[in-house]
């Protein structure tokens, strides 16, 4: 019998629009000869499964089951593609752990850690990963223009500490722009991150490992790097999703530097105890040192997203990658 796979999309943040696009991409990637696929939409006020006819049926939150054709159906696996809360910050992972549902992404602790950029970056800094200097603000806190510029210089990137897809992000070039940028970022979350500007070549690299135990994978796949050349001030929403950037895979850097970044990605995967697909973003500065921007544990998965690009550049089939991840977790769960 074919297993039932839930592609879990939606979420509670502005990133819902990206999540729904990723769900469509994943639906096209997964092997339909092996699995029955359903898109499950998780919103604050509604959890529902989209049925083949286009209608929606409610999800029973007790066991994530649903009704179709007069019978109750259960999922065997959840492929989480919610960007933002509750699918990227560990909340949904904790729920699935409690009901015994295998899922695609990192576990609850790792998801919560990586979702908080400041905490994740400074945790990885303790393992020798290079990052930019930063200031974190909680709601109600403030920082003066003088203090921020003194500590971080200009330009300063101001962003939600617990969000993605470049919602609420501003590149501050003048001190007078700082407070409006902080207000904009707080509109997207409860924490704001101010980061010093890093100049160099922006690259990103995906990775997954299956089988074996933590740090001793039976199979390790580190993809070719993608170089990001944006036409805008930075890699903002339009650059990411509306074609206002050039994404070059493989990146136009030396084999030695490529391998250096790939080793860092593999190391970060193991330090975190990651699971499923992750993507790590870097700026390679003039001295050749890759500085990490952030770790993405539920990377975008539209047909034109970075991971599918890198899979193609590696000469792999995205269908096989999806099967690897699904079967690995099903096997660990004894299903």
């Amino acid at each position: 019998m074919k297993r039932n796979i839930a592609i879990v999309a939606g979420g509670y943040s502005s990133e819902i629009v990206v999540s729904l696009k990723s769900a469509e991409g994943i639906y096209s990637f997964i092997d339909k000869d092996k699995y029955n696929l359903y898109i499950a939409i998780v919103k604050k006020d509604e959890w529902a499964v989209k049925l083949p006819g286009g209608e929606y049926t409610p999800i029973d939150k007790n066991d994530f089951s649903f009704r179709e054709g007069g019978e109750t159906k259960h999922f065997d696996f959840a492929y989480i593609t919610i960007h933002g809360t509750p699918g990227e910050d560990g909340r949904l992972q904790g729920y699935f752990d409690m009901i015994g549902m295998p899922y695609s992404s990192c576990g609850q602790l790792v998801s919560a850690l990586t979702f908080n950029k400041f905490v994740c970056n400074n945790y990885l800094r303790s393992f020798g990963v290079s990052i930019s200097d930063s200031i974190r603000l909680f709601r109600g806190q403030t920082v003066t223009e003088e203090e921020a510029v003194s500590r971080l210089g200009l330009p300063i990137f101001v962003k939600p500490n617990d969000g993605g897809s470049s919602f609420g992000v501003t590149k501050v070039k003048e001190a007078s722009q700082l407070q409006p940028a902080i207000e904009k970022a707080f509109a997207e979350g409860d924490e704001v991150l101010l980061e010093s500007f890093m100049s160099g070549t922006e690259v990103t690299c995906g990775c997954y490992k299956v089988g074996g135990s933590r740090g001793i994978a039976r199979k390790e796949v580190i993809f070719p790097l993608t170089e990001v050349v944006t036409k805008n001030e930075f890699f903002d929403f339009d650059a990411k999703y509306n074609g206002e950037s050039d994404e070059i895979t493989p990146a136009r850097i030396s084999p030695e530097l490529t391998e250096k970044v790939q080793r860092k990605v593999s190391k970060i995967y193991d330090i975190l105890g990651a699971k499923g697909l992750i993507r790590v973003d870097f700026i390679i500065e003039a001295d050749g040192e890759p500085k990490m921007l952030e770790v993405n544990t539920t990377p975008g998965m539209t047909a034109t997203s970075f991971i599918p690009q890198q899979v193609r550049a590696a000469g792999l089939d995205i269908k096989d990658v999806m099967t690897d991840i699904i079967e690995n977790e099903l096997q660990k769960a004894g299903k």
Side-chain angles (χ1 to χ4, degrees), residues 136-158:
R136 177 173 60 169
L137 300 177
F138 293 101
R139 189 174 295 281
Q141 290 183 323
T142 187
V143 63
T144 66
E145 296 168 3
E146 294 77 11
E147 182 184 357
V149 173
S150 173
R151 288 179 58 180
L152 305 177
L154 285 171
I156 297 171
F157 273 106
V158 180

Side-chain angles (χ1 to χ4, degrees), residues 63-174:
D63 57 4
F64 210 68
S65 63
F66 65 102
R67 301 277 296 174
E68 182 182 19
E71 64 174 303
T72 298
K73 293 193 173 180
H74 294 85
F75 287 112
D76 299 292
F77 182 87
Y79 200 108
I80 301 172
T81 188
I82 292 177
H83 310 303
T85 188
E88 197 172 7
D89 58 0
R91 299 183 189 188
L92 201 56
Q93 287 81 357
Y95 163 76
F96 283 139
D97 285 338
M98 290 179 70
I99 65 171
M101 173 81 73
Y103 53 87
S104 57
S105 64
C106 295
Q108 181 181 17
L109 176 60
V110 178
S111 297
L113 172 67
T114 54
F115 189 65
N116 189 304
K117 298 180 183 69
F118 181 85
V119 173
C120 179
N121 287 9
N122 283 281
Y123 173 74
L124 290 172
R125 189 209 292 265
S126 70
F127 289 90
V129 177
S130 297
I131 64 169
S132 66
D133 293 329
S134 61
I135 298 171
R136 177 173 60 169
L137 300 177
F138 293 101
R139 189 174 295 281
Q141 290 183 323
T142 187
V143 63
T144 66
E145 296 168 3
E146 294 77 11
E147 182 184 357
V149 173
S150 173
R151 288 179 58 180
L152 305 177
L154 285 171
I156 297 171
F157 273 106
V158 180
K159 62 181 74 172
N161 189 41
D162 46 3
S165 298
S166 296
F167 286 107
V169 178
T170 305
K171 183 180 180 181
V172 172
K173 296 181 177 180
E174 299 176 6

Side-chain angles (χ1 to χ4, degrees), residues 83 90 175 198 229 242 317:
H83 310 303
M198 294 184 286
V229 184
N242 294 326
D317 188 331

Side-chain angles (χ1 to χ4, degrees), residues 16-59:
I16 186 171
V17 292
V18 183
S19 173
L20 296 175
K21 289 181 180 179
S22 286
E24 292 173 3
I26 291 168
Y27 187 92
S28 72
F29 299 149
I30 295 178
D31 191 344
K32 297 172 185 62
D33 291 332
K34 294 176 72 91
Y35 310 107
N36 297 315
L37 304 182
Y38 296 86
I39 293 179
I41 308 296
V42 171
K43 300 179 182 178
K44 275 187 178 178
D45 56 352
E46 181 184 23
W47 290 24
V49 170
K50 185 177 181 180
L51 297 177
E55 66 274 22
Y56 288 85
T57 184
I59 291 172

